[in-house]
Amino acid sequence: MAALLSAGLFAAAAVRIISHAIDTFPPEATQEVEADEPRCFMLRIFVFGLAVDLAWLVLVFLLRRLFGYSGSLEFWECLDSGHYLDIAEDWYLSEGDWDRLVQLVFLPGFPLVVRLAAKIVGSALYAGLIVSALSFAAALCVLYRLLSLDYPRARVEKMLKYFCLAPGGFFFAAPMSESLFLLLAAACLYCARRGRWLTGCLLGGAAAFTRSVGLTLLAPLLVEALYSLVGARPSPRKGVCRLAALLLVPLGFAAYCLINYQVSGNAFQFLIYQKQHWGQSLGWFFNTAAYQTQYALSTFLSNPKNFWGLWLPNLVCSFAALVVMLCAARRVRGSYALWFLGYYVIAIGATWLLSAPRYLLVLFPLYIGLGELTKSEKADRAATLALALLSLLYTCAFVLRWQVW
């Protein structure tokens, strides 16, 4: 029943998204409006992003102390952060302990930036926290610019508010790749929307070098390229160049495959490690709904920590994302909504998915949809309160290490 519900919601959302994309092809040209912005407005957003990141660190520290644990920053290594920091310090290993060999599955974009930052601050952990904080603050600035191409300022600010309150927001503060990937993905689409195709596709390649789901950026980039070809009618040479630039995105992932080959002798060794060590391969997203529901039912009484911290949040986020996009399909730009479909299929289709809230956290079309569904003041207050409460509860589960990944 969970699989059927998941497949049905996805199919319904896909039909509405695709029909809307066809009906609005090409969309009306949009122009960025900056004239009425207060002075240093983007700097304020950047500082606000740093404050949000710091608030997550402080909240986790206070909750740790409240629950009787130490407040050490080393706690942040309990996630996949430890793997990223190992890579930043020692790079990938071709021989040695099995637990270090399988770190090849983690893409090198974030560890490389942390490695450079660590040369300045002297600690990979501190460097990782700083890189995440700066990336998140910059991502908010880019998202503001991107969303302002289609929506008025008040609505954009509401969407960013939801983004900052989203359950799992502490992942943006963690020394992990989420904040950097968000920055690269948002900047990629913003540059494409502003006609800077080479820069946009280079950033898309960097996103694919940071997380494998960066490859799904090909979907919105291709749609935006078609928008520009039909709407702006550039010269044939310029049109061909724009389409050719899309190849930079898979080249970013190809660079990661080259690292696989240099380290292990197999360009796709990461697939072997994923399956052998984590039981992970690409499956059907609706099958994920089925096995997660099965585990949720079996752990409700026998292992409540896993139920409340792991399986229930995964199911709630996976289904809530489909419901939001189904309801808001005709209010989200076609290229962004199509990106949601491709990203969802890949990210939620993992055969051993433990991190649905984290994977969906960076998918900003969800917050566009939520912002469009809560135009009334009453709906906005309800959504804000619900997100804040769920975020606090999920952070408590993270601090208590109830299998939050």
Side-chain angles (χ1 to χ4, degrees):
M1 289 178 65
L4 287 173
L5 180 59
S6 175
L9 288 172
F10 183 89
V15 168
R16 296 196 69 192
I17 288 171
I18 293 171
S19 64
H20 176 63
I22 293 173
D23 292 342
T24 58
F25 183 86
E28 295 181 2
T30 54
Q31 295 294 327
E32 189 171 10
V33 179
E34 303 177 21
D36 61 340
E37 284 184 1
R39 188 177 180 181
C40 301
F41 186 69
M42 298 310 296
L43 178 60
R44 296 180 193 179
I45 295 180
F46 186 83
V47 173
F48 174 75
L50 291 179
V52 171
D53 184 274
L54 179 61
W56 282 117
L57 294 176
V58 171
L59 177 61
V60 169
F61 170 81
L62 294 176
L63 289 175
R64 289 277 297 171
R65 297 303 296 269
L66 179 64
F67 294 138
Y69 300 105
S70 71
S72 171
L73 284 176
E74 279 70 23
F75 167 72
W76 288 97
E77 297 180 0
C78 65
L79 297 162
D80 289 339
S81 309
H83 298 299
Y84 283 115
L85 298 178
D86 284 342
I87 298 168
E89 291 177 333
D90 304 322
W91 200 233
Y92 301 104
L93 300 184
S94 57
E95 56 184 20
D97 293 340
W98 175 254
D99 288 342
R100 295 296 303 276
L101 294 178
V102 296
Q103 290 176 339
L104 192 58
V105 306
F106 296 95
L107 274 73
F110 181 73
L112 275 177
V113 178
V114 172
R115 190 181 184 92
L116 294 174
K119 295 182 181 297
I120 301 174
V121 302
S123 164
L125 174 59
Y126 294 160
L129 292 169
I130 292 171
V131 168
S132 291
L134 295 176
S135 297
F136 179 71
L140 284 187
C141 295
V142 178
L143 278 174
Y144 178 85
R145 286 279 189 244
L146 178 62
L147 299 182
S148 294
L149 297 176
D150 302 303
Y151 304 99
R153 179 191 298 171
R155 205 174 305 169
V156 171
E157 291 175 351
K158 181 172 66 172
M159 294 170 184
L160 293 183
K161 175 184 68 173
Y162 294 157
F163 195 79
C164 293
L165 289 174
F170 52 81
F171 286 118
F172 286 130
M176 299 174 68
S177 60
E178 270 63 37
S179 289
L180 180 61
F181 176 79
L182 174 65
L183 171 61
L184 294 171
C188 162
L189 294 177
Y190 177 70
C191 288
R193 290 288 305 274
R194 302 301 289 172
R196 297 191 284 270
W197 281 96
L198 181 59
T199 303
C201 291
L202 281 171
L203 290 166
F209 189 66
T210 302
R211 291 190 66 86
S212 58
V213 287
L215 288 170
T216 61
L217 287 167
L218 278 171
L221 286 172
L222 177 59
V223 174
E224 291 295 339
L226 294 177
Y227 286 165
S228 68
L229 292 177
V230 175
R233 298 186 180 278
S235 64
R237 179 176 174 274
K238 185 176 289 187
V240 170
C241 289
R242 288 182 178 182
L243 293 175
L246 297 177
L247 296 175
L248 293 172
V249 178
L251 282 179
F253 190 75
Y256 166 60
C257 293
L258 178 60
I259 292 174
N260 270 255
Y261 180 78
Q262 292 175 336
V263 172
S264 68
N266 180 3
F268 301 102
Q269 184 66 30
F270 68 96
L271 293 175
I272 297 174
Y273 285 158
Q274 281 182 338
K275 192 167 186 178
Q276 289 181 346
H277 190 69
W278 280 280
Q280 196 76 277
S281 58
L282 185 60
W284 293 105
F285 64 90
F286 48 82
N287 183 59
T288 299
Y291 72 70
Q292 287 190 338
T293 301
Q294 181 179 0
Y295 281 114
L297 293 173
S298 65
T299 58
F300 179 67
L301 295 177
S302 64
N303 193 340
K305 292 182 180 180
N306 279 11
F307 173 81
W308 293 105
L310 177 59
W311 302 119
L312 184 62
N314 271 261
L315 287 167
V316 169
C317 287
S318 298
F319 281 104
L322 292 176
V323 171
V324 169
M325 290 305 296
L326 172 62
C327 297
R330 294 189 172 276
R331 306 181 191 182
V332 180
R333 187 174 177 88
S335 59
Y336 303 162
L338 290 169
W339 180 41
F340 167 83
L341 294 178
Y343 186 105
Y344 190 92
V345 167
I346 300 299
I348 306 301
T351 54
W352 182 240
L353 181 65
L354 307 179
S355 310
R358 175 162 65 93
Y359 292 166
L360 294 174
L361 191 64
V362 300
L363 204 53
F364 62 81
L366 288 172
Y367 307 96
I368 298 177
L370 187 58
E372 288 292 276
L373 294 175
T374 56
K375 291 184 177 180
S376 71
E377 186 176 346
K378 184 177 180 180
D380 176 41
R381 286 200 301 265
T384 301
L385 180 61
L387 286 175
L389 179 59
L390 290 173
S391 188
L392 177 61
L393 292 174
Y394 196 50
T395 306
C396 289
F398 165 64
V399 168
L400 293 170
R401 298 308 301 132
W402 286 3
Q403 295 298 309
V404 174
W405 301 101

